[in-house]
Amino acid sequence: MPVFDVATVRKDFPILGRSVRGHPLTYLDNAATSQKPLAVIKALERYYSEQNANVHRGVHLLSEEATTAYEAARGSVAKFLGLKDTSGCVFVRGATEGINLVAECWGRTHLKAGDEILLTHLEHHANIVPWQVIAERTGAKVLVTPVTPRGEVDLVAFKGLLSARTKLVAFAHVSNALGTVNPAAEMTRLAKAAGAVVLIDGCQSAAHFKVDVPALGCDFYAFSGHKTFGPTGIGVLWGRPELLDAMPPYQFGGDMIRKVDFAGTTFREAPERFEAGTPDISGAIGLGVALEYFMPIQAAAHAHEQVLLAAATERLKAIKGLTIVGEAPEKVAVISFNIEGGHPHDIGTLLDADGIAIRTGHHCCMPLMKHYGLSGTARASFAFYNTLEEVDRLAVSLEKARKMMA
Ligand code: PLP
């Protein structure tokens, strides 16, 4: 494993050098969106200063260069996901669009009354609502796997809920609200044994550890570029090419057609099938650069984050009246918590005064919050560029906040 020097890595992220309210920025809202390395910022600038042209259409040099860069980014995505080829890698706006695409295009043609869609109680709204809506339209039913008090998916219950009626299983690889890492390969194996199609929401895993899609064995995997050190507005839906090619497209226009005639139109195969119109060219290129930046340091970054998680967990637990929500043994560096007598928003505001950015509220996981009887939590989420010094700043500021709220 290469030596991981966090001080050197931080220099790659210009925003980390700024101050907030007179304090050095302590950015602990990485589960909401990550910061971008200079390589990504420069790639966007370079694209617009030197290469800007539409892709797949021009015979001129700029268009050729833009197309090469766009398709090279798809190659980086395939490598990032452990795939041998790019055919199943569809560029979308983000995980939300990826999941909606599957619900709409796969769900509309494969689900019928009596079928079941199995989710978990940990899901982000983006992996609940599209399934609810398609269930309403098709007559299928949504079932929910419960979670344990520690915030793990109850595997026994999961097995019990799987049956011949289960047509689709969708779950987060990692919970955004609690940081729990789900046993994704095992859950996929069980779901596939029941005959279901499996979608994994990889929004919170992609930035924290190596994702090996073939090893997971799933049918669809979605993640967002902006949470993985890339630009906003770009993400990836990977799907098994044979499933994607059998799905009707959901948007129609340029680039996704084979032949248009007023007598009838034929469509291309994946990934172009689902990329109608001019895509987010610069976003895809920026994402490719982000993934190429991240891949060589991924293992060392994960190890560093686990040190931060252990240190932060210990420091936060020592604060009187602070309760951590979600203590699964397998977690990424995300800590959700509440402090007795204080509202999560008050905690967030008091920390902001010290230059510390955290997230507060329901984290787009209202059913999970309801399950724990909470309106919300405060959440500190770390990335590999965070430091032990920042863990210390968080703990000191929280202690101060606790006293002010008492
Ligand atoms: N799934 C999970 C687990 C998330 O954490 C998020 C965003 O927070 C999403 C899906 C939706 O991602 P996006 O808003 O980038 O589409």
Side-chain angles (χ1 to χ4, degrees), residues 107 218 398:
C218 58
L398 280 174

Side-chain angles (χ1 to χ4, degrees), residues 36 40 98 102 176 186 196 228 237 254 271 308 317 343:
K36 323 301 172 200
V40 170
V102 177
N176 63 306
E186 173 67 355
T228 320
L237 170 72
L308 298 180
K317 276 188 162 177
H343 191 280

Side-chain angles (χ1 to χ4, degrees), residues 75-387:
S76 298
V77 167
K79 186 163 66 156
F80 182 70
L81 295 177
L83 299 159
K84 287 204 175 69
D85 74 274
T86 57
S87 56
C89 301
V90 181
F91 282 123
V92 287
R93 273 195 302 124
T96 300
E97 187 180 5
I99 298 166
N100 274 276
L101 193 160
V102 177
E104 179 64 25
C105 302
W106 183 89
R108 193 157 37 90
T109 45
H110 289 82
L111 294 171
K112 57 179 185 337
D115 289 345
E116 290 175 356
I117 300 166
L118 180 57
L119 309 177
T120 85
H121 226 113
L122 283 171
E123 301 313 312
H124 187 280
H125 298 162
N127 201 25
I128 298 175
V129 186
W131 303 116
Q132 271 182 331
V133 171
I134 203 69
E136 269 168 31
R137 278 201 224 147
T138 57
K141 200 168 146 197
V142 171
L143 303 186
V144 187
T145 311
V147 289
T148 66
R150 290 199 302 188
E152 296 160 283
V153 168
D154 182 336
L155 268 189
V156 176
F158 181 73
K159 279 183 215 166
L161 286 165
L162 286 166
S163 76
R165 288 183 302 280
T166 319
K167 290 294 175 302
L168 183 118
V169 176
F171 60 87
H173 201 166
V174 169
S175 155
N176 63 306
L178 309 181
T180 311
V181 180
N182 283 324
E186 173 67 355
M187 289 170 74
T188 302
R189 193 186 61 73
L190 293 166
K192 301 286 291 177
V197 162
V198 177
L199 176 140
I200 301 181
D201 171 0
C203 233
Q204 296 293 339
S205 38
H208 293 289
F209 52 79
K210 171 75 191 148
V211 173
D212 186 337
V213 161
L216 288 170
C218 58
D219 299 294
F220 297 103
Y221 197 94
F223 72 96
S224 294
H226 72 97
K227 294 187 199 278
T228 320
F229 320 110
T232 50
I234 189 76
V236 174
L237 170 72
W238 173 82
R240 281 189 196 281
E242 62 274 22
L243 286 181
L244 290 174
D245 291 341
M247 282 156 51
Y250 79 136
Q251 286 182 357
F252 306 90
D255 253 16
M256 55 77 68
I257 49 88
R258 194 176 293 290
K259 187 162 180 269
V260 178
D261 190 290
F262 281 113
T265 293
T266 50
F267 308 121
R268 293 175 73 182
E269 291 172 347
E272 290 82 7
R273 189 178 186 81
F274 298 102
E275 292 182 8
T278 301
D280 182 357
I281 305 165
S282 63
I285 293 170
L287 175 58
V289 171
L291 300 181
E292 291 295 339
Y293 171 90
F294 183 46
M295 281 186 274
I297 59 168
Q298 215 169 13
H302 177 68
H304 172 72
E305 284 180 15
Q306 289 295 307
V307 171
L308 298 180
L309 174 65
T313 304
E314 195 183 323
R315 292 293 300 276
L316 265 58
K317 276 188 162 177
I319 295 171
K320 209 173 132 203
L322 187 147
T323 316
I324 292 180
V325 185
E327 291 202 84
E330 292 290 325
K331 275 180 70 169
V332 298
V334 168
I335 305 180
S336 247
F337 59 93
N338 275 305
I339 298 181
E340 219 174 83
H343 191 280
H345 290 331
D346 295 335
I347 303 173
T349 306
L350 290 167
L351 261 58
D352 178 55
D354 287 341
I356 302 172
I358 61 161
R359 181 66 160 248
T360 61
H362 54 63
H363 315 295
C364 295
C365 291
M366 280 184 173
L368 183 67
M369 294 296 131
K370 190 173 161 196
H371 169 78
Y372 285 117
L374 300 167
S375 65
T377 68
R379 179 188 72 185
S381 56
F382 297 81
F384 60 78
Y385 41 68
N386 290 122
T387 64

